[in-house]
Amino acid sequence: MSDYRITHDPHLCVKCGLCAAFCPIPGILEMGEDGYPRVISADACVGCQTCSGNCPKRALAVEVTGDAVFDPYEGEELAESISKERQAEFAELQESIMDSLDLRWQPVAVSLIRQDELLPDAPIPSENLRFCQAMMAARRGASILMPPHRHSCPDGTSIFGMTGVPEKLATGEIYVLFHKVVDAEAAARMVAERPTLPEKSRRATYVAPLAKTVREPEVVVFSGTPEQMMWLCMSMSYYDGHRFDFHASGFNSMCVEAVLLPLDSDEPNITFGCYGCRAATDVDENIMFMGVPLNRLETIAKGAAELAKKAIPDSRNKIYVPPIM
């Protein structure tokens, strides 16, 4: 299993203490009497790069070490994959929706594996990833299974019920350090208002393109422009005219807003992305996301196909814009 080595260059260090302050997991870094950071327990490091990312002089580095191919689940019985017929259904739905809405990125099938479930037959990454990083890789075609030790964001693992919540995250202290909220009171409210799954109720996350998933997803997440998200929303309203109540904040975009809220409510939810999602991936400023429960996919495909016959091309052709004289 990959471990992490934290190295420090005293010639670059300005002794600001930001690395120790921003580390989300207590007991890894502390400031020594000489003013330099000291590594107390590298074994607890999850490779999130928050310390090195906030070092103003890049005096700190986090490097992966160890045997990258070691798999602690080797020999464990794996879950049976869904049938070829079901995979073909998902592939057809993906193709239909992407064609109708002209989506660039593949919809991502998301599963949160319960403690009593077998793991799907899917690759475990050799290095730790944030959940949002896995999601962005999946929309390009990757299938990724991540037990807790492969997640580099302790916020995500606690939200998904795989681990407990580190103190700095539970109190909101780290959000104040990042200057995302004005004070501890605002941070605490944000943390208290977000949903979480019961601690130690899930054992892994699994993401894959919808067309390649080997298990029934719980939520499917779409990436696209605001205009494409509008049509995605309208495709679900095409047959009944239903309006949706979306919940978005800019915090915990992939884990809470794109996955957990649709899972809990059985309703679609929109999200603009969040600080971590945008800072840790290649998502640009023109992209947003929508998570939808699995049971909405057929309605989306049928509604989008109907909208593509007239409404979508008319809108994109700007039929109400008068010609420029």
Side-chain angles (χ1 to χ4, degrees), residues 1-318:
M1 181 173 65
S2 299
D3 296 316
Y4 293 89
R5 177 174 60 245
I6 304 170
T7 57
H8 168 256
D9 186 344
H11 300 294
L12 295 176
C13 182
V14 293
K15 303 182 181 182
C16 64
L18 289 177
C19 55
F22 274 97
C23 178
I25 301 177
I28 296 179
L29 290 172
E30 71 173 25
M31 301 308 292
E33 293 181 359
D34 58 1
Y36 291 121
R38 293 192 303 136
V39 179
I40 304 303
S41 176
D43 292 343
C45 180
V46 295
C48 68
Q49 305 283 344
T50 306
C51 58
S52 58
N54 282 279
C55 176
K57 299 297 183 180
R58 294 295 188 265
L60 210 71
V62 181
E63 303 168 294
V64 66
T65 64
D67 183 358
V69 300
F70 177 76
D71 181 1
Y73 296 97
E74 186 176 357
E76 178 177 326
E77 181 184 358
L78 297 175
E80 184 176 344
S81 297
I82 57 175
S83 68
K84 296 294 184 182
E85 291 76 17
R86 187 59 167 158
Q87 285 182 326
E89 289 178 22
F90 286 143
E92 184 177 347
L93 286 169
Q94 173 173 306
E95 182 179 12
S96 174
I97 295 168
M98 291 186 70
D99 285 349
S100 294
L101 304 185
D102 194 27
L103 295 176
R104 175 182 179 183
W105 305 109
Q106 298 180 74
V108 178
V110 181
S111 296
L112 306 180
I113 315 299
R114 297 178 181 274
Q115 287 289 353
D116 59 354
E117 289 185 295
L118 296 176
L119 295 173
D121 186 5
I124 297 176
S126 59
E127 295 185 24
N128 291 17
L129 297 173
R130 296 171 183 266
F131 180 71
C132 52
Q133 291 173 323
M135 291 287 289
M136 296 310 102
R139 71 179 186 159
R140 285 192 176 89
S143 297
I144 301 174
L145 175 67
M146 293 203 301
H149 72 275
R150 276 289 167 259
H151 280 260
S152 65
C153 177
D155 228 357
T157 57
S158 62
I159 286 168
F160 285 148
M162 293 190 288
T163 63
V165 188
E167 183 180 355
K168 287 185 181 179
L169 298 177
T171 62
E173 174 188 345
I174 199 163
Y175 294 100
V176 180
L177 287 172
F178 273 114
H179 212 68
K180 296 181 187 178
V181 290
V182 65
D183 56 25
E185 182 179 358
R189 178 176 182 179
M190 183 276 295
V191 172
E193 288 185 356
R194 72 187 185 193
T196 59
L197 292 175
E199 185 175 336
K200 302 297 178 67
S201 64
R202 300 299 191 275
R203 64 184 303 214
T205 60
Y206 168 64
V207 298
L210 179 62
K212 292 171 61 177
T213 183
V214 298
R215 63 171 277 152
E216 292 279 324
E218 293 162 297
V219 174
V220 178
V221 179
F222 292 86
S223 308
T225 64
E227 188 254 13
Q228 290 169 326
M229 294 299 102
M230 178 193 79
W231 294 118
L232 184 62
C233 186
M234 288 181 65
S235 69
M236 289 183 282
S237 301
Y238 183 81
Y239 293 101
D240 61 11
H242 176 61
R243 290 176 176 267
F244 298 100
D245 295 319
F246 296 133
H247 299 270
S249 67
F251 291 103
N252 308 121
S253 170
M254 287 294 102
C255 44
V256 170
E257 295 178 351
V259 175
L260 208 52
L261 284 174
L263 180 63
D264 281 350
S265 66
D266 202 34
E267 293 286 341
N269 195 56
I270 207 160
T271 177
F272 308 113
C274 65
Y275 173 98
C277 175
R278 295 188 180 277
T281 76
D282 64 344
V283 173
D284 66 37
E285 64 272 16
N286 299 311
I287 299 297
M288 59 189 302
F289 311 92
M290 185 183 292
V292 300
L294 179 63
N295 58 24
R296 300 292 180 118
L297 285 186
E298 290 190 13
T299 298
I300 290 172
K302 292 177 182 177
E306 291 298 321
L307 291 168
K309 293 177 180 177
K310 178 173 174 59
I312 293 177
D314 280 359
S315 175
R316 290 175 176 172
N317 288 330
K318 310 295 183 185

